Amino acid sequence: MSTYRIAARIAARIAVTIAGCAVAPAMAAGPKGKVIAVPGSADFLAVDGSSVWATNRGRVERWSTRGKQAEVAMTRPCGAMTVAFGSLWVADCADRTVNRIDMATARRIAVIPTGIANPRGELNVVAGAGSVWVASDDKGVVARIDPAVNVVTASIPVDPGTFYLSFGFGSLWAVSGAGQTIQKIDPVTNAVVARTTLGRAPGFLVAGEGAVWVQEQDDGTVARIAPDTGQVSGRVKVDETLKYGDIDAGGGRIWLRTTAGQTFVVIDPETLAIRARIGKETGSGALRYTGAGVWTSSHDIHILSWWKKPARIGR
């Protein structure tokens, strides 16, 4: 049987589970999900209106609930992408570049040699302060790209093993898994202005909903970081570990893609209470929030899922 047919059968079975997903008592009803079979290994996501871009083997693809809308060939797209300055920005772990893709035409318009700090693919490309940022060297460098000219204009020294980035509250936030630190970078001076020790194996992070949120993967916790001081202001225990998931913020909630136990978790940013555990365990993947719902990928079983958001999740 072909990989595509196997994926389609798995997707059909999971669709039944999603439609009646188990949730925490805090929610009376879970979101309705739509499962889309995606051949290959769809992984990291970036929202483009009512559609979503996904990295895949040798390509990035734009999908909607109606199916695939576009495809752009790349050598090995990797890591979390960003949509900014009218373009999709994607790291290529084989070429060690950042690629700029025109979303309207689905054409690559610039290839920027940056270096890639983690060629295994766990990293972020992010945007903020009029720039695009990527961790470019595992010895401890973040590259700043000027989108007006598509070149690196600054190389910022950071802790070795810094792979994970997010921009928010006027600062760039950078996490070193090896050093167990989160670093606050001032985009005016291109320098680290605060550094805080984190729990074990910190990874993906997001700035939003009043704080910066970091997965502490080996501890199974999410740390809340105060944006003014850069210090930990609280933690929520989610599971034994949080390895290989993803995190986003929006709609008054923190959205945490998990690998074990469920597809994703919904966290209250003020009380740190877990408001819902959504969906069946589907292995590793990514997550992105939109005002209308949540996209998740599950690359081990070759699917994307769209979870239409009921009003109660956002409360």
Side-chain angles (χ1 to χ4, degrees):
M1 185 181 293
S2 71
T3 301
Y4 181 84
R5 289 178 64 191
I6 292 170
R9 288 193 177 185
I10 293 172
R13 289 198 296 269
I14 292 175
V16 175
T17 302
I18 289 174
C21 60
V23 300
M27 272 187 50
K32 295 180 179 179
K34 179 179 177 63
V35 173
I36 306 162
V38 179
S41 185
D43 194 357
F44 293 99
L45 305 174
V47 174
D48 178 12
S50 60
S51 61
V52 68
W53 288 89
T55 61
N56 208 326
R57 292 173 182 157
R59 60 198 185 272
V60 289
E61 302 169 325
R62 185 174 64 212
W63 289 82
S64 75
T65 55
R66 298 183 299 276
K68 188 162 78 170
Q69 308 295 305
E71 177 180 317
V72 181
M74 292 179 60
T75 306
R76 186 159 70 89
C78 60
M81 305 171 283
T82 194
V83 171
F85 312 107
S87 302
L88 176 72
W89 301 80
V90 192
D92 192 308
C93 279
D95 299 340
R96 303 202 176 199
T97 59
V98 169
N99 292 243
R100 183 175 187 172
I101 294 170
D102 185 314
M103 296 184 297
T105 61
R107 295 181 61 185
R108 187 163 42 184
I109 57 177
V111 178
I112 305 157
T114 56
I116 295 296
N118 185 8
R120 294 186 303 276
E122 297 290 295
L123 74 157
N124 307 71
V125 178
V126 302
S131 303
V132 174
W133 312 75
V134 66
S136 58
D137 191 320
D138 65 358
K139 293 182 177 67
V141 180
V142 170
R144 182 174 188 169
I145 301 167
D146 183 346
V149 290
N150 296 321
V151 298
V152 175
T153 57
S155 296
I156 302 165
V158 292
D159 293 346
T162 294
F163 303 152
Y164 309 98
L165 305 177
S166 186
F167 198 98
F169 309 104
S171 299
L172 179 69
W173 302 86
V175 164
S176 166
Q180 292 184 218
T181 60
I182 182 167
Q183 303 147 84
K184 181 179 181 179
I185 298 170
D186 183 346
V188 175
T189 62
N190 287 329
V192 174
V193 295
R195 180 180 282 102
T196 299
T197 300
L198 295 170
R200 296 181 301 156
F204 286 107
L205 68 158
V206 64
E209 300 301 331
V212 181
W213 306 83
V214 189
Q215 292 177 300
E216 297 171 315
Q217 296 181 102
D218 279 359
D219 291 332
T221 53
V222 174
R224 182 177 64 192
I225 309 298
D228 53 346
T229 65
Q231 299 298 307
V232 176
S233 64
R235 281 187 171 91
V236 54
K237 179 74 170 178
V238 178
D239 218 325
E240 288 305 308
T241 70
L242 289 177
K243 286 193 171 180
Y244 319 121
D246 198 4
I247 191 166
D248 205 0
R253 292 289 182 261
I254 306 304
W255 310 84
L256 179 69
R257 176 73 169 86
T258 58
T259 300
Q262 61 279 307
T263 306
F264 65 96
V265 169
V266 186
I267 300 170
D268 186 313
E270 294 184 3
T271 66
L272 299 182
I274 294 175
R275 294 300 184 189
R277 295 180 181 268
I278 307 292
K280 181 181 178 181
E281 179 180 315
T282 59
S284 181
L287 174 150
R288 282 296 176 263
Y289 168 85
T290 80
V294 174
W295 286 99
T296 61
S297 65
S298 301
H299 57 75
D300 298 329
I301 56 173
H302 317 294
I303 64 169
L304 292 175
S305 299
W306 165 247
W307 309 78
K308 187 175 180 181
K309 187 182 75 172
R312 290 192 59 147
I313 290 185
R315 292 182 185 176

